[in-house]
Amino acid sequence: MPHTVNRGRRKAGRPKDESKRAAILRSAGDCFLNAGVAGTILLHDLQRNTWVGGHAERADRALLPASTFKVFSSMALLEAGVLATKHSVIPWDSVTRDRAETNRDLTLQEAFRLSSLAHFQVGVRRLPPGFMRRFLDDVGYGNRDLSGGDDRFWIDGGLRISPRQQVGFLKRLFRNALPVSPRTTQVVKEMMAIEEPPAYVLRAKTGLTTVPDPGSIGWWVGWVERGARVTFFATVLESVTPPADFAAKRLAVTRCALERTGALPGPPAPPR
């Protein structure tokens, strides 16, 4: 059964509120019931200082970050001066791949939104010697392990990060508390914005990779700004034999939990 966590401050004498909160916690965990894959989702409401988890016993399980690392590597490219703005061009390496939309020069913003591994590998190779090591240490990202190749360590190398660490990293980004310039922070936040209707802003990044152990790994991390409320999320799925809709399940599970907790507009939690 899904596990939930709530580490925020509780107010005494509010049984109705507590009952409602418990129902929301159970409902968010239920988003995993029909997913058919292992994994977890961790949500953190910044203002209320509360945590919600579906299969929260896995919240500290560290895995390859895959393309969620593009949030970090975009900062590295900007801070090192390899790229000046989100409109700076990363050249195509002239290798034709299955995704035709990536077989050309791309701006940083285009490469980020298309999640083009090849373009970020080109960019990372242009970092000054030792820069990535120093930057990982300064920021304190995951386990800071660069083994496996300078342009592959986040895809199938030694780098690992847990859902709880993902949320912590994103909270510092949101609060402008990372050791980077305000310009870099602003550029990365802008690139992460994938939905901006009047009612909310959703900033996020996906990640997907397959390795022998644990198999396929699918991430969706980010946060929702809805009025004064800010909710961070980190979802990761794992499967040795992933279903055809494995990548889509990352988004579906996350949206379900965000809607049921009220972070995103949508159907309320069903009655229990």
Side-chain angles (χ1 to χ4, degrees), residues 7 23 45 67 96 109 120 122 126-127 161 163 174 194 227 231 233 237-238 267:
R7 298 187 175 184
D45 186 311
S67 285
T96 301
Q109 179 167 278
F120 272 86
V122 168
R126 295 185 173 189
L127 289 170
I161 192 168
F174 172 78
I194 60 172
T231 304
F233 62 88
L237 307 183
E238 302 173 52

Short mmCIF file of all heavy atoms in Angstrom, two decimals, residues 7 23 45 67 96 109 120 122 126-127 161 163 174 194 227 231 233 237-238 267:
data_model
loop_
_atom_site.label_atom_id
_atom_site.label_comp_id
_atom_site.label_asym_id
_atom_site.label_seq_id
_atom_site.Cartn_x
_atom_site.Cartn_y
_atom_site.Cartn_z
N ARG A 7 5.21 16.02 7.54
CA ARG A 7 6.16 16.49 8.55
C ARG A 7 5.97 17.95 8.91
O ARG A 7 6.84 18.59 9.45
CB ARG A 7 7.59 16.25 8.06
CG ARG A 7 7.87 14.77 7.85
CD ARG A 7 9.31 14.51 7.52
NE ARG A 7 9.57 13.08 7.44
CZ ARG A 7 10.75 12.54 7.23
NH1 ARG A 7 11.81 13.31 7.08
NH2 ARG A 7 10.91 11.24 7.17
N ALA A 23 -7.40 12.42 4.45
CA ALA A 23 -8.04 11.94 3.22
C ALA A 23 -7.25 12.35 1.99
O ALA A 23 -7.10 11.58 1.04
CB ALA A 23 -9.47 12.49 3.14
N ASP A 45 4.76 21.23 0.23
CA ASP A 45 4.08 22.52 0.23
C ASP A 45 4.94 23.49 1.04
O ASP A 45 5.11 23.32 2.25
CB ASP A 45 2.69 22.39 0.85
CG ASP A 45 1.87 23.66 0.76
OD1 ASP A 45 2.39 24.74 1.11
OD2 ASP A 45 0.69 23.59 0.35
N SER A 67 17.84 13.11 -17.48
CA SER A 67 17.75 14.47 -18.03
C SER A 67 17.26 15.52 -17.04
O SER A 67 17.27 16.71 -17.37
CB SER A 67 16.86 14.48 -19.27
OG SER A 67 17.55 13.92 -20.37
N THR A 96 23.36 12.06 -37.22
CA THR A 96 21.93 11.95 -37.45
C THR A 96 21.32 10.93 -36.50
O THR A 96 21.76 9.78 -36.45
CB THR A 96 21.63 11.56 -38.90
OG1 THR A 96 22.20 12.54 -39.78
CG2 THR A 96 20.14 11.47 -39.15
N GLN A 109 17.71 27.01 -24.78
CA GLN A 109 16.30 26.81 -24.43
C GLN A 109 15.69 25.69 -25.26
O GLN A 109 14.95 24.85 -24.73
CB GLN A 109 15.51 28.10 -24.64
CG GLN A 109 14.03 27.96 -24.33
CD GLN A 109 13.34 29.29 -24.23
OE1 GLN A 109 13.38 29.95 -23.19
NE2 GLN A 109 12.71 29.71 -25.31
N PHE A 120 23.56 18.73 -24.98
CA PHE A 120 24.12 18.99 -23.65
C PHE A 120 25.47 18.32 -23.48
O PHE A 120 26.34 18.85 -22.79
CB PHE A 120 23.13 18.54 -22.56
CG PHE A 120 22.16 19.62 -22.19
CD1 PHE A 120 20.99 19.79 -22.90
CD2 PHE A 120 22.45 20.51 -21.17
CE1 PHE A 120 20.09 20.81 -22.59
CE2 PHE A 120 21.56 21.54 -20.83
CZ PHE A 120 20.38 21.69 -21.56
N VAL A 122 27.64 18.09 -25.92
CA VAL A 122 28.54 19.05 -26.59
C VAL A 122 28.87 20.20 -25.65
O VAL A 122 30.04 20.60 -25.51
CB VAL A 122 27.89 19.59 -27.89
CG1 VAL A 122 28.68 20.79 -28.43
CG2 VAL A 122 27.81 18.49 -28.94
N ARG A 126 32.64 21.38 -23.33
CA ARG A 126 33.29 22.70 -23.48
C ARG A 126 33.54 23.39 -22.14
O ARG A 126 34.12 24.48 -22.12
CB ARG A 126 32.42 23.59 -24.37
CG ARG A 126 32.32 23.06 -25.80
CD ARG A 126 31.58 24.03 -26.69
NE ARG A 126 31.64 23.60 -28.10
CZ ARG A 126 31.22 24.34 -29.12
NH1 ARG A 126 30.72 25.55 -28.90
NH2 ARG A 126 31.30 23.88 -30.34
N LEU A 127 33.12 22.78 -21.04
CA LEU A 127 33.39 23.37 -19.74
C LEU A 127 34.89 23.34 -19.46
O LEU A 127 35.59 22.41 -19.86
CB LEU A 127 32.66 22.59 -18.65
CG LEU A 127 31.13 22.74 -18.59
CD1 LEU A 127 30.54 21.73 -17.63
CD2 LEU A 127 30.75 24.17 -18.19
N ILE A 161 20.86 10.72 -7.23
CA ILE A 161 20.12 11.71 -6.45
C ILE A 161 18.78 11.10 -6.05
O ILE A 161 18.20 10.32 -6.81
CB ILE A 161 19.92 13.03 -7.23
CG1 ILE A 161 19.41 14.15 -6.31
CG2 ILE A 161 19.00 12.83 -8.44
CD1 ILE A 161 19.48 15.54 -6.93
N PRO A 163 14.66 11.44 -4.56
CA PRO A 163 13.55 12.40 -4.67
C PRO A 163 13.62 13.52 -3.63
O PRO A 163 13.36 14.68 -3.93
CB PRO A 163 12.32 11.51 -4.47
CG PRO A 163 12.74 10.18 -4.99
CD PRO A 163 14.18 10.04 -4.58
N PHE A 174 14.37 27.88 -6.37
CA PHE A 174 13.22 28.78 -6.25
C PHE A 174 13.53 29.97 -5.35
O PHE A 174 13.16 31.11 -5.65
CB PHE A 174 12.02 28.01 -5.69
CG PHE A 174 10.84 28.89 -5.36
CD1 PHE A 174 10.00 29.35 -6.36
CD2 PHE A 174 10.60 29.26 -4.04
CE1 PHE A 174 8.92 30.17 -6.05
CE2 PHE A 174 9.53 30.08 -3.73
CZ PHE A 174 8.68 30.54 -4.74
N ILE A 194 6.75 25.33 -18.25
CA ILE A 194 6.12 24.59 -19.34
C ILE A 194 4.62 24.86 -19.47
O ILE A 194 4.02 24.58 -20.50
CB ILE A 194 6.36 23.07 -19.20
CG1 ILE A 194 5.79 22.54 -17.88
CG2 ILE A 194 7.85 22.75 -19.31
CD1 ILE A 194 5.84 21.02 -17.78
N GLY A 227 -0.88 31.19 -7.03
CA GLY A 227 -1.07 32.26 -6.08
C GLY A 227 0.12 32.31 -5.15
O GLY A 227 1.28 32.28 -5.58
N THR A 231 4.26 24.46 -4.51
CA THR A 231 4.36 23.03 -4.21
C THR A 231 5.45 22.41 -5.08
O THR A 231 5.38 22.47 -6.31
CB THR A 231 3.03 22.31 -4.47
OG1 THR A 231 1.99 22.94 -3.72
CG2 THR A 231 3.14 20.84 -4.07
N PHE A 233 7.67 19.04 -6.35
CA PHE A 233 7.40 17.63 -6.54
C PHE A 233 8.60 16.93 -7.17
O PHE A 233 9.39 17.52 -7.91
CB PHE A 233 6.16 17.42 -7.42
CG PHE A 233 6.27 17.96 -8.82
CD1 PHE A 233 6.80 17.18 -9.85
CD2 PHE A 233 5.84 19.24 -9.12
CE1 PHE A 233 6.89 17.68 -11.14
CE2 PHE A 233 5.93 19.75 -10.40
CZ PHE A 233 6.46 18.96 -11.43
N LEU A 237 9.83 6.74 -11.36
CA LEU A 237 9.31 5.39 -11.59
C LEU A 237 10.46 4.49 -12.01
O LEU A 237 11.41 4.93 -12.64
CB LEU A 237 8.23 5.40 -12.68
CG LEU A 237 7.07 6.37 -12.51
CD1 LEU A 237 6.07 6.17 -13.65
CD2 LEU A 237 6.39 6.21 -11.17
N GLU A 238 10.33 3.22 -11.68
CA GLU A 238 11.34 2.22 -12.06
C GLU A 238 10.64 0.99 -12.62
O GLU A 238 9.57 0.60 -12.13
CB GLU A 238 12.17 1.79 -10.85
CG GLU A 238 12.90 2.91 -10.13
CD GLU A 238 13.54 2.40 -8.85
OE1 GLU A 238 14.27 1.39 -8.92
OE2 GLU A 238 13.29 2.99 -7.79
N PRO A 267 -9.84 17.78 -10.71
CA PRO A 267 -10.88 17.11 -9.91
C PRO A 267 -10.43 16.95 -8.48
O PRO A 267 -9.26 16.69 -8.21
CB PRO A 267 -11.04 15.76 -10.61
CG PRO A 267 -9.76 15.54 -11.34
CD PRO A 267 -9.30 16.92 -11.77
#
